[in-house]
Amino acid sequence: MGLKAGIVGLPNVGKSTLFNAITNSHVEAANYPFATINPNTGVVNVPDARLTFLSDLFKPERTIPATVEFVDIAGLVKGASKGEGLGNQFLGHIRQCDAIIEVVRCFENKDIIHVEDTVDPIRDIEIINLELVMADLETINKRVEKCEVKARVAHDKECIYEMGILTPLKEALEQGLPARGVSLSSDQLQFCLDNYHLLTSKSIIYVANVGETDLADIENCENYKKVKEYAAIEGNQVIPVCAGIEAELSELSKEEREMYLADLGVTESGLDKVIKATYKLLNLSTFFTVGSDECRAWTFKNGYSAPECAGVIHTDFQKGFICAEVYSYDSIHELGSEQAVKEAGKLRTEGKGYYPKDGDVMFFRFNVTKK
């Protein structure tokens, strides 16, 4: 299953620099507004030491990690929802994304202009979030225009049902509140996600783009602390990143990168944290398939049944599901081989009622009768 995250923020906050580092591509990252006109997209691997271990153990012909696609759009400004700076066009590029990465400038640098003239992360967040809300309100108002009369006058059952969703969404958005905070039933929520593609219904992570010296003493960075407090009130996550450092790291070999991180006193880059957090944000987990031909990480939503996980690989696997042979990653990591896992009785056969867990290693048995 594909996972796509949209990167948003004001101009010159470091979005494109971050995108360059994440994808190791080289899109324009200029010091003026709207350097990014068309959306840039890049697919990156989800870092997972477990897959590395399994690959080293089975020595397959190929190793395939889970992936996330990132979409970088042009910087938004006040009035973006009404078309300022081509804002409507830019916002349209991320409506099909699953999650939003909002980059917030927390570094001071007189050589890099700020579209609002001063560095104020909370003001910047509120500008972006309001533009997302206003864009969604326009979407909802257009839908209300189509449904309201049919529901009230013609008593159209479908429109009556839809107005039960549209009305609370409209009320919240008019108050400047995101759609994700509106209380809807599971069926109503699914209808909303399938039909409206609201920007504020998407999960969000704040990336605080801090200076190099700030990163070394992050808890004393005042701008980062402001973003952290703001995100905590919303129940959202904030990750401190120095986009400049990450851009340098992306140019290094694995060994050089590890040495650089060690010099910084960290074991994991900020971008690895962003990628992992994006993956987890949507309630996703990983199961593995292993063998001499291929070791692969597969993405599934928590709560999927064993047949549904089989369907992630191929629809025929789900249709003809018989059973799944399963053991945990922890078991093979502890015991050192698949044979040892079997001898220890850690390999289980599970049926349709099994719900896989993060880190399961699975082999599916299926049978599809061709007509």
Side-chain angles (χ1 to χ4, degrees):
M1 59 186 300
L3 170 61
K4 184 184 291 187
I7 304 176
V8 303
L10 292 175
N12 296 345
V13 298
K15 292 188 307 81
S16 293
T17 302
L18 182 71
F19 178 84
N20 283 339
I22 288 175
T23 62
N24 201 23
S25 61
H26 299 281
V27 301
E28 188 171 15
N31 182 25
Y32 55 87
F34 313 122
T36 307
I37 301 300
N38 296 313
N40 299 299
T41 62
V43 177
V44 298
N45 298 335
V46 177
D48 197 326
R50 299 172 300 182
L51 181 63
T52 302
F53 174 86
L54 292 169
S55 184
D56 289 343
L57 188 64
F58 285 88
K59 295 179 172 50
E61 296 176 10
R62 57 188 177 274
T63 300
I64 304 177
T67 60
V68 178
E69 180 179 355
F70 286 92
V71 180
D72 173 37
I73 67 168
L76 302 174
V77 294
K78 285 181 180 178
S81 58
K82 299 184 182 299
E84 291 293 331
L86 301 178
N88 265 332
Q89 177 182 333
F90 299 155
L91 288 170
H93 294 314
I94 60 171
R95 287 200 178 276
Q96 300 300 322
C97 289
D98 303 294
I100 289 177
I101 309 298
E102 185 168 332
V103 182
V104 186
R105 178 169 170 174
C106 292
F107 66 90
E108 300 281 352
N109 188 328
K110 294 180 180 179
D111 294 329
I112 300 178
I113 62 174
H114 192 294
V115 72
E116 294 292 328
D117 295 326
T118 59
V119 176
D120 183 342
I122 304 306
R123 176 205 59 206
D124 294 355
I125 288 173
E126 291 177 344
I127 288 173
I128 295 297
N129 289 356
L130 180 59
E131 293 306 322
L132 300 181
V133 164
M134 296 306 293
D136 282 350
L137 183 57
E138 182 179 356
T139 298
I140 293 301
N141 281 336
K142 288 179 179 178
R143 195 70 182 180
V144 168
E145 288 177 8
K146 293 182 178 181
C147 291
E148 196 272 336
V149 173
K150 288 183 180 180
R152 179 169 48 84
V153 178
H155 304 292
D156 183 287
K157 290 184 179 179
E158 291 183 0
C159 286
I160 291 173
Y161 175 79
E162 193 166 349
M163 285 303 296
I165 302 171
L166 292 169
T167 300
L169 286 172
K170 179 179 170 68
E171 291 173 352
L173 293 167
E174 285 178 338
Q175 296 176 53
L177 302 174
R180 74 179 73 89
V182 176
S183 179
L184 298 173
S185 70
S186 57
D187 289 342
Q188 288 177 321
L189 178 59
Q190 194 60 53
F191 185 94
C192 175
L193 295 174
D194 292 342
N195 292 279
Y196 306 148
H197 305 292
L198 298 179
L199 298 167
T200 63
S201 68
K202 303 179 190 302
S203 300
I204 188 169
I205 293 175
Y206 294 108
V207 170
N209 188 12
V210 302
E212 183 173 348
T213 55
D214 295 321
L215 191 64
D217 189 20
I218 194 62
E219 293 305 326
N220 286 318
C221 174
E222 290 301 320
N223 284 330
Y224 167 71
K225 288 195 291 185
K226 290 176 183 177
V227 178
K228 188 176 180 180
E229 290 169 3
Y230 187 96
I233 292 171
E234 292 184 329
N236 291 319
Q237 186 176 0
V238 56
I239 298 174
V241 168
C242 177
I245 288 178
E246 299 298 337
E248 293 179 22
L249 285 169
S250 70
E251 301 290 341
L252 303 177
S253 67
K254 180 181 178 181
E255 293 74 18
E256 290 172 326
R257 190 160 54 247
E258 289 175 352
M259 291 176 61
Y260 195 151
L261 290 172
D263 289 341
L264 293 174
V266 296
T267 58
E268 186 176 37
S269 75
L271 294 185
D272 281 354
K273 292 178 181 177
V274 172
I275 294 168
K276 288 180 179 180
T278 304
Y279 186 72
K280 291 295 184 182
L281 183 66
L282 299 175
N283 196 30
L284 301 173
S285 287
T286 301
F287 72 85
F288 303 98
T289 53
V290 297
S292 58
D293 59 335
E294 177 183 285
C295 284
R296 183 163 182 167
W298 299 89
T299 302
F300 71 99
K301 280 192 175 292
N302 291 323
Y304 268 20
S305 65
E308 287 174 315
C309 283
V312 170
I313 299 176
H314 197 286
T315 53
D316 283 350
F317 283 30
Q318 183 171 357
K319 292 176 183 176
F321 179 87
I322 298 173
C323 66
E325 295 178 358
V326 185
Y327 58 85
S328 71
Y329 168 79
D330 289 341
S331 293
I332 196 167
H333 185 263
E334 176 189 352
L335 297 171
S337 72
E338 197 168 63
Q339 183 60 37
V341 169
K342 293 177 181 178
E343 291 173 355
K346 299 288 187 179
L347 176 67
R348 314 181 311 277
T349 299
E350 301 285 359
K352 294 181 178 180
Y354 178 67
Y355 293 87
K357 300 175 180 59
D358 184 52
D360 277 353
V361 181
M362 308 185 75
F363 176 80
F364 296 102
R365 296 194 179 277
F366 69 103
N367 180 38
V368 176
T369 303
K370 295 184 178 180
K371 295 183 180 179

